[in-house]
Amino acid sequence: MDHRAFIKSLPRDLLRELKTSDNRIGLLHLSGHVGLILFLATWIAKGWPLWWAAIAAQGIVICFLFTLEHEATHKTPFATSELNEWVGRFAGLLIFLPFEWFRHFHLAHHKFTNIPGKDPELLSGAKPETRLQYAKYVSGLTYWTGMAGQIFSNVISPLSGGYVPKSKARHVRLEACLMLIFYVIASLSLFFSPFLFWVWLLPILLGQPFLRLYLLAEHGRCAFVANMFENTRTTYTNRFVRFLAWNMPYHVEHHSIPQVPFHKLPELHDLMQGKHKAVSNSYSEFTAEFVSDLR
C-alpha cells in the first residue's frame, strides 16, 4: 500500500476531522515557543549564571521557528488564515527565510518529493554526498549564503527558480525589500547596542547546525520514488524535540497528508502503524548511519 491508497482507505469523516486546525491549540504552542525565546533572551541579557551556554540554546530555539514557518506555508498551525500568514512571515524574518518565496519553493518540494531533477531541495544541494559537502551543509554556511543570495534575487528577479507564479512575483519582491530594510535597521542598531547580536544574531549562527542535522533526517537516505511511505522518514525522538519542531519528526505523516495540523500528526501516526518504510529510532542513530555512507 502506498500513501495514496492509505488516504483512500480512511473514512471521509475521519479525514475531515484530521484536517481541522484549532486556534487555541496553535496559540498555546506558539506561546510556549515564543516564551522560551524570551526567557533565554532575558537570561543572556541579564548575564545570569551560564548565560554563555544559553546563547547556543537560544539559537536552537529560534532556528527551529523554521518548522513553524514551514507549517504556516500549509496554513495548518491555526484555523485563522491571516494568523498563519503573519506568524509565518515573522518566523521567516528571524531566520532569514522569506516566507512568500519559501511557500512556493516548499510546495514544489511536496509535489516532487525526492524526485531527482524536480525536487527543489535536491536541486539546491540540501543532500550532501561527500564528507566535505556534509561539513559545509552542517555548518550552515551554505544556508546563510544561499538565503542572502535568495533575498537579493527576490528583489531583482522574483520568478527565478520557476516555482513562483507570475501572479505572486510582486508579493515576493515586496517581502524581500521589506526584509532588507529591517536587516539594515537591525545592523545599524548594533552601533548603539550589542543586544541583538547576543540574543539573536550570534545565537542563530550557533543554532543553525542543529537545524541542519534535524532536516537531513527528513528525506536523507530515502528512496527516489513518489511513494511518501518510502521517500520520507519519520524519526522517533523525545517530547521536547517534538515540541520544538512542531511535531514535524512525524514527517511521513506530514508528507502523506500535508493538510493535517501539527497537533494531529501523532493521531495520524497511530493510524499508519505498519506502513512506514523509512524510520529512525533517534536523530543520533540517523546521523551515524548517514555519515558512515558518505564518500
Side-chain angles (χ1 to χ4, degrees):
M1 175 182 286
D2 64 10
H3 74 282
R4 294 184 182 89
F6 169 77
I7 294 171
K8 289 181 180 179
S9 72
L10 296 176
R12 289 188 177 182
D13 289 346
L14 175 59
L15 194 57
R16 188 182 304 111
E17 175 62 26
L18 284 170
K19 293 179 180 180
T20 303
S21 299
D22 188 311
N23 276 343
R24 182 185 62 83
I25 296 176
L27 288 171
L28 184 63
H29 199 106
L30 178 64
S31 65
H33 200 143
V34 173
L36 188 54
I37 292 173
L38 295 177
F39 169 73
L40 290 168
T42 302
W43 188 349
I44 296 165
K46 295 289 187 180
W48 292 339
L50 298 178
W51 66 271
W52 45 269
I55 293 176
Q58 171 77 326
I60 294 170
V61 175
I62 294 177
C63 286
F64 268 82
L65 285 173
F66 167 84
T67 53
L68 169 58
E69 179 179 3
H70 153 265
E71 272 290 272
T73 65
H74 295 286
K75 302 182 179 181
T76 53
F78 312 100
T80 303
S81 179
E82 291 79 6
L83 191 55
N84 287 308
E85 296 292 300
W86 286 106
V87 168
R89 292 189 184 105
F90 181 71
L93 188 65
L94 290 182
I95 60 174
F96 291 77
L97 181 59
F99 177 72
E100 295 289 346
W101 168 84
F102 179 65
R103 186 204 308 275
H104 304 294
F105 174 94
H106 186 65
L107 292 180
H109 162 63
H110 268 266
K111 184 177 181 179
F112 304 110
T113 303
N114 235 30
I115 302 301
K118 293 185 176 182
D119 186 342
E121 283 197 3
L122 295 177
L123 295 172
S124 66
K127 301 295 182 291
E129 297 180 357
T130 68
R131 291 183 183 273
L132 179 58
Q133 291 175 355
Y134 180 79
K136 290 173 64 177
Y137 170 84
V138 173
S139 72
L141 178 63
T142 54
Y143 172 80
W144 296 120
T145 56
M147 283 303 100
Q150 190 63 58
I151 292 172
F152 281 108
S153 176
N154 288 350
V155 173
I156 301 169
S157 180
L159 296 178
S160 62
Y163 29 78
V164 176
K166 289 184 179 180
S167 61
K168 301 297 182 180
R170 184 173 63 87
H171 297 86
V172 170
R173 177 179 283 119
L174 176 60
E175 176 189 49
C177 290
L178 292 175
M179 290 179 78
L180 287 175
I181 291 172
F182 173 82
Y183 295 142
V184 168
I185 294 173
S187 298
L188 291 175
S189 75
L190 297 177
F191 288 103
F192 303 97
S193 169
F195 177 76
L196 290 181
F197 173 79
W198 290 108
V199 303
W200 174 41
L201 297 176
L202 178 59
I204 60 175
L205 289 176
L206 298 177
Q208 188 61 218
F210 294 90
L211 179 63
R212 294 297 101 194
L213 289 170
Y214 159 83
L215 291 174
L216 200 54
E218 293 181 342
H219 304 283
R221 301 179 75 249
C222 289
F224 298 120
V225 297
N227 182 10
M228 300 302 176
F229 289 154
E230 298 181 58
N231 65 22
T232 305
R233 173 179 289 97
T234 281
T235 304
Y236 299 111
T237 186
N238 58 64
R239 289 185 179 181
F240 179 72
V241 174
R242 289 197 298 270
F243 164 81
L244 205 59
W246 289 70
N247 272 339
M248 283 302 108
Y250 293 117
H251 215 59
V252 172
E253 293 74 8
H254 166 69
H255 263 264
S256 296
I257 314 179
Q259 301 86 354
V260 174
F262 71 97
H263 63 278
K264 291 187 176 178
L265 290 177
E267 181 181 348
L268 180 57
H269 173 74
D270 291 339
L271 294 170
M272 281 185 178
Q273 289 300 316
K275 308 293 191 303
H276 300 75
K277 302 299 181 182
V279 296
S280 286
N281 292 318
S282 68
Y283 285 98
S284 58
E285 176 186 89
F286 167 80
T287 299
E289 292 177 352
F290 189 91
V291 171
S292 69
D293 287 342
L294 291 173
R295 299 195 302 270

